[in-house]
Amino acid sequence: MINLELIRTDPDAVKRAAHAKRVDIDIDHLVELDREVRRSTEQLDTLRHGLKQASKQVGAGGEGRQVAKELGDRVRAAEQANRELRARFDALLARVPNILAPEVPEGDDDRDNLEVRTWSTPRTFDFPVRDHLELMLGLGMVNLDGPRKFAGGRSYALTGPGALLELAVLRYALDTVVGRGFTPVIPPVIVREQALFGTGFFPGSREETYQLPADDLYLVGTSEVGLVAMHSDSILAEEQLPLRYAGWSTCFRREAGAAGRDSRGLYRVHQFTKVEQVVICHADPAVSEREHYGLLDNSETILQSLGLPYRVALACSGETGLGQYRKHEVETWMPGRDSYSETHSCSTLLDFQARRSRIRYRAGGRNEFAFTLNNTAVASPRILVAIVENYQNADGSVTVPEVLRPYLNGLEVITR
């Protein structure tokens, strides 16, 4: 959540951010609720003080028993009213969006994103282009029919070279970012509600999240949740920062309502594997901006070394999530879709997650809320879509990108 002082001192800035992000929230009502909570708390403190004084009189000479009883009843009633008021306030505050970086363009959806740059030129084929599903089925890289019998729609099993190619690209991405100073982590993928609230996925993304009702637990859609939550309710030493993590995890998303061409093949599935970059750093916008572009560079380096054409776009306000201050989307060229399609999302959240997760660090004799950032290093099977489609050959085989061959015992071409 954002700093409450900003809402109190500059509510118009928060209103502008909400409008730009297309978030329907009544900031004026929130400000009034804040005043009511403070008035209620002051009244409660006064009653508690009065009860304390009356209780002393009862203990000293037995006088004032009736006064103390009446004050006790009033305190309990005031406490209940205060709790209810705070609950209403907290529920509304949790829906307040973060402010936006000045350079973020206003817009409704990805059509309004601002293209920043492209890398390489999409390949021109001199034979009919196959999509990834045709290629992978033909090469024994994926099984759809079997898994969908027992696991339902959008289920799949990577098989043979498909499984090995996923492991190769994930390990290559992990090795790349670890080589740049990131600590590898395999975090839990089953978490409590607070972890999802703390990272800003709740309350807004409940419909996208798988729940385990019997245990009151949830499956994560990104290892970002666990990497940030590891430090919840903690005070870090300043010299620990920045913390840079590379999280490897299976991820789960319901993809409620997704349809159309995205539902074919492996582009949009319920279960996938991802290497995610997460940074926890000083509460300094300049430091945060530097870390943001460092995360972006890591992902671009991976795509360039894989030889995959891509473009980088600055997400417009309507595409920037509740807690995001700045977001770049990296879209990789996919010949089967004849378009650039999202494969990476690089986000700066300032102290939005740290406030919700209570992550602080000690600096200059005081505790400061840290800043957090994240970006995909690589996500599979979506990255496999780009690899097999861009590296396909006329005979239906797929050439293995050179940087992945050491992870595949030197295999150069996947054939049937």
Side-chain angles (χ1 to χ4, degrees), residues 31-46:
V31 170
E32 180 55 36
L33 274 177
D34 177 44
R35 293 194 188 103
E36 290 182 29
V37 168
R38 284 187 283 174
R39 283 196 297 266
S40 171
T41 302
E42 290 173 0
Q43 292 167 0
L44 179 57
D45 289 342
T46 299

PDB file of all heavy atoms in Angstrom, residues 31-46:
ATOM      1  N   VAL A  31     -10.289   9.485   2.785  1.00  0.00           N
ATOM      2  CA  VAL A  31      -9.761  10.572   3.619  1.00  0.00           C
ATOM      3  C   VAL A  31     -10.689  10.832   4.798  1.00  0.00           C
ATOM      4  O   VAL A  31     -10.236  11.042   5.932  1.00  0.00           O
ATOM      5  CB  VAL A  31      -9.579  11.850   2.764  1.00  0.00           C
ATOM      6  CG1 VAL A  31      -9.260  13.047   3.657  1.00  0.00           C
ATOM      7  CG2 VAL A  31      -8.464  11.645   1.741  1.00  0.00           C
ATOM      8  N   GLU A  32     -11.997  10.808   4.543  1.00  0.00           N
ATOM      9  CA  GLU A  32     -12.952  11.019   5.625  1.00  0.00           C
ATOM     10  C   GLU A  32     -12.904   9.862   6.627  1.00  0.00           C
ATOM     11  O   GLU A  32     -12.969  10.080   7.853  1.00  0.00           O
ATOM     12  CB  GLU A  32     -14.360  11.184   5.067  1.00  0.00           C
ATOM     13  CG  GLU A  32     -15.434  11.420   6.132  1.00  0.00           C
ATOM     14  CD  GLU A  32     -15.125  12.599   7.041  1.00  0.00           C
ATOM     15  OE1 GLU A  32     -14.556  13.604   6.559  1.00  0.00           O
ATOM     16  OE2 GLU A  32     -15.445  12.511   8.252  1.00  0.00           O
ATOM     17  N   LEU A  33     -12.789   8.640   6.132  1.00  0.00           N
ATOM     18  CA  LEU A  33     -12.672   7.489   7.029  1.00  0.00           C
ATOM     19  C   LEU A  33     -11.417   7.598   7.892  1.00  0.00           C
ATOM     20  O   LEU A  33     -11.427   7.251   9.085  1.00  0.00           O
ATOM     21  CB  LEU A  33     -12.626   6.188   6.219  1.00  0.00           C
ATOM     22  CG  LEU A  33     -13.947   5.536   5.830  1.00  0.00           C
ATOM     23  CD1 LEU A  33     -13.688   4.304   4.977  1.00  0.00           C
ATOM     24  CD2 LEU A  33     -14.760   5.167   7.069  1.00  0.00           C
ATOM     25  N   ASP A  34     -10.356   8.087   7.292  1.00  0.00           N
ATOM     26  CA  ASP A  34      -9.109   8.274   8.042  1.00  0.00           C
ATOM     27  C   ASP A  34      -9.339   9.247   9.196  1.00  0.00           C
ATOM     28  O   ASP A  34      -8.873   9.019  10.325  1.00  0.00           O
ATOM     29  CB  ASP A  34      -8.024   8.790   7.095  1.00  0.00           C
ATOM     30  CG  ASP A  34      -6.706   9.074   7.812  1.00  0.00           C
ATOM     31  OD1 ASP A  34      -6.289   8.235   8.648  1.00  0.00           O
ATOM     32  OD2 ASP A  34      -6.111  10.129   7.537  1.00  0.00           O
ATOM     33  N   ARG A  35     -10.038  10.339   8.936  1.00  0.00           N
ATOM     34  CA  ARG A  35     -10.338  11.312   9.997  1.00  0.00           C
ATOM     35  C   ARG A  35     -11.192  10.659  11.081  1.00  0.00           C
ATOM     36  O   ARG A  35     -10.968  10.864  12.282  1.00  0.00           O
ATOM     37  CB  ARG A  35     -11.066  12.516   9.420  1.00  0.00           C
ATOM     38  CG  ARG A  35     -10.242  13.375   8.469  1.00  0.00           C
ATOM     39  CD  ARG A  35     -10.934  14.714   8.213  1.00  0.00           C
ATOM     40  NE  ARG A  35     -10.270  15.475   7.176  1.00  0.00           N
ATOM     41  CZ  ARG A  35     -10.718  15.587   5.917  1.00  0.00           C
ATOM     42  NH1 ARG A  35     -11.844  14.976   5.576  1.00  0.00           N
ATOM     43  NH2 ARG A  35     -10.057  16.297   5.031  1.00  0.00           N
ATOM     44  N   GLU A  36     -12.175   9.866  10.667  1.00  0.00           N
ATOM     45  CA  GLU A  36     -13.048   9.208  11.639  1.00  0.00           C
ATOM     46  C   GLU A  36     -12.276   8.225  12.499  1.00  0.00           C
ATOM     47  O   GLU A  36     -12.512   8.117  13.711  1.00  0.00           O
ATOM     48  CB  GLU A  36     -14.183   8.487  10.906  1.00  0.00           C
ATOM     49  CG  GLU A  36     -15.201   9.425  10.265  1.00  0.00           C
ATOM     50  CD  GLU A  36     -16.329   8.652   9.598  1.00  0.00           C
ATOM     51  OE1 GLU A  36     -16.639   7.537  10.070  1.00  0.00           O
ATOM     52  OE2 GLU A  36     -16.889   9.158   8.612  1.00  0.00           O
ATOM     53  N   VAL A  37     -11.358   7.495  11.878  1.00  0.00           N
ATOM     54  CA  VAL A  37     -10.535   6.541  12.650  1.00  0.00           C
ATOM     55  C   VAL A  37      -9.711   7.281  13.684  1.00  0.00           C
ATOM     56  O   VAL A  37      -9.621   6.860  14.852  1.00  0.00           O
ATOM     57  CB  VAL A  37      -9.624   5.725  11.708  1.00  0.00           C
ATOM     58  CG1 VAL A  37      -8.573   4.952  12.519  1.00  0.00           C
ATOM     59  CG2 VAL A  37     -10.449   4.750  10.883  1.00  0.00           C
ATOM     60  N   ARG A  38      -9.127   8.395  13.295  1.00  0.00           N
ATOM     61  CA  ARG A  38      -8.288   9.144  14.242  1.00  0.00           C
ATOM     62  C   ARG A  38      -9.127   9.738  15.376  1.00  0.00           C
ATOM     63  O   ARG A  38      -8.700   9.724  16.532  1.00  0.00           O
ATOM     64  CB  ARG A  38      -7.518  10.234  13.493  1.00  0.00           C
ATOM     65  CG  ARG A  38      -6.335   9.668  12.694  1.00  0.00           C
ATOM     66  CD  ARG A  38      -5.472  10.759  12.100  1.00  0.00           C
ATOM     67  NE  ARG A  38      -6.086  11.348  10.921  1.00  0.00           N
ATOM     68  CZ  ARG A  38      -5.589  12.405  10.282  1.00  0.00           C
ATOM     69  NH1 ARG A  38      -4.494  13.002  10.728  1.00  0.00           N
ATOM     70  NH2 ARG A  38      -6.187  12.885   9.201  1.00  0.00           N
ATOM     71  N   ARG A  39     -10.318  10.250  15.022  1.00  0.00           N
ATOM     72  CA  ARG A  39     -11.195  10.772  16.071  1.00  0.00           C
ATOM     73  C   ARG A  39     -11.630   9.647  17.009  1.00  0.00           C
ATOM     74  O   ARG A  39     -11.632   9.805  18.237  1.00  0.00           O
ATOM     75  CB  ARG A  39     -12.422  11.444  15.451  1.00  0.00           C
ATOM     76  CG  ARG A  39     -12.187  12.815  14.877  1.00  0.00           C
ATOM     77  CD  ARG A  39     -13.486  13.556  14.632  1.00  0.00           C
ATOM     78  NE  ARG A  39     -14.320  12.888  13.637  1.00  0.00           N
ATOM     79  CZ  ARG A  39     -14.319  13.191  12.339  1.00  0.00           C
ATOM     80  NH1 ARG A  39     -13.538  14.154  11.888  1.00  0.00           N
ATOM     81  NH2 ARG A  39     -15.130  12.542  11.510  1.00  0.00           N
ATOM     82  N   SER A  40     -11.976   8.531  16.442  1.00  0.00           N
ATOM     83  CA  SER A  40     -12.405   7.376  17.243  1.00  0.00           C
ATOM     84  C   SER A  40     -11.293   6.903  18.162  1.00  0.00           C
ATOM     85  O   SER A  40     -11.530   6.567  19.334  1.00  0.00           O
ATOM     86  CB  SER A  40     -12.842   6.246  16.310  1.00  0.00           C
ATOM     87  OG  SER A  40     -13.067   5.057  17.022  1.00  0.00           O
ATOM     88  N   THR A  41     -10.067   6.885  17.639  1.00  0.00           N
ATOM     89  CA  THR A  41      -8.923   6.436  18.444  1.00  0.00           C
ATOM     90  C   THR A  41      -8.656   7.400  19.591  1.00  0.00           C
ATOM     91  O   THR A  41      -8.360   6.979  20.725  1.00  0.00           O
ATOM     92  CB  THR A  41      -7.677   6.301  17.557  1.00  0.00           C
ATOM     93  OG1 THR A  41      -7.957   5.372  16.493  1.00  0.00           O
ATOM     94  CG2 THR A  41      -6.482   5.807  18.356  1.00  0.00           C
ATOM     95  N   GLU A  42      -8.753   8.703  19.310  1.00  0.00           N
ATOM     96  CA  GLU A  42      -8.552   9.700  20.368  1.00  0.00           C
ATOM     97  C   GLU A  42      -9.608   9.545  21.468  1.00  0.00           C
ATOM     98  O   GLU A  42      -9.298   9.598  22.667  1.00  0.00           O
ATOM     99  CB  GLU A  42      -8.613  11.106  19.776  1.00  0.00           C
ATOM    100  CG  GLU A  42      -7.416  11.458  18.899  1.00  0.00           C
ATOM    101  CD  GLU A  42      -7.600  12.792  18.198  1.00  0.00           C
ATOM    102  OE1 GLU A  42      -8.668  13.430  18.420  1.00  0.00           O
ATOM    103  OE2 GLU A  42      -6.709  13.191  17.430  1.00  0.00           O
ATOM    104  N   GLN A  43     -10.862   9.342  21.050  1.00  0.00           N
ATOM    105  CA  GLN A  43     -11.941   9.162  22.035  1.00  0.00           C
ATOM    106  C   GLN A  43     -11.723   7.892  22.847  1.00  0.00           C
ATOM    107  O   GLN A  43     -11.951   7.876  24.078  1.00  0.00           O
ATOM    108  CB  GLN A  43     -13.287   9.115  21.314  1.00  0.00           C
ATOM    109  CG  GLN A  43     -13.694  10.440  20.677  1.00  0.00           C
ATOM    110  CD  GLN A  43     -14.869  10.294  19.721  1.00  0.00           C
ATOM    111  OE1 GLN A  43     -15.391   9.186  19.517  1.00  0.00           O
ATOM    112  NE2 GLN A  43     -15.295  11.406  19.119  1.00  0.00           N
ATOM    113  N   LEU A  44     -11.275   6.851  22.197  1.00  0.00           N
ATOM    114  CA  LEU A  44     -11.016   5.589  22.885  1.00  0.00           C
ATOM    115  C   LEU A  44      -9.891   5.758  23.895  1.00  0.00           C
ATOM    116  O   LEU A  44      -9.982   5.265  25.041  1.00  0.00           O
ATOM    117  CB  LEU A  44     -10.669   4.499  21.866  1.00  0.00           C
ATOM    118  CG  LEU A  44     -10.332   3.105  22.422  1.00  0.00           C
ATOM    119  CD1 LEU A  44     -11.478   2.567  23.276  1.00  0.00           C
ATOM    120  CD2 LEU A  44     -10.017   2.149  21.281  1.00  0.00           C
ATOM    121  N   ASP A  45      -8.845   6.467  23.504  1.00  0.00           N
ATOM    122  CA  ASP A  45      -7.722   6.704  24.426  1.00  0.00           C
ATOM    123  C   ASP A  45      -8.177   7.497  25.649  1.00  0.00           C
ATOM    124  O   ASP A  45      -7.747   7.231  26.783  1.00  0.00           O
ATOM    125  CB  ASP A  45      -6.590   7.453  23.711  1.00  0.00           C
ATOM    126  CG  ASP A  45      -5.855   6.581  22.697  1.00  0.00           C
ATOM    127  OD1 ASP A  45      -5.985   5.341  22.791  1.00  0.00           O
ATOM    128  OD2 ASP A  45      -5.155   7.139  21.827  1.00  0.00           O
ATOM    129  N   THR A  46      -9.054   8.483  25.428  1.00  0.00           N
ATOM    130  CA  THR A  46      -9.574   9.283  26.543  1.00  0.00           C
ATOM    131  C   THR A  46     -10.388   8.409  27.497  1.00  0.00           C
ATOM    132  O   THR A  46     -10.254   8.500  28.727  1.00  0.00           O
ATOM    133  CB  THR A  46     -10.447  10.435  26.005  1.00  0.00           C
ATOM    134  OG1 THR A  46      -9.648  11.280  25.171  1.00  0.00           O
ATOM    135  CG2 THR A  46     -11.017  11.252  27.150  1.00  0.00           C
TER     136      THR A  46
END
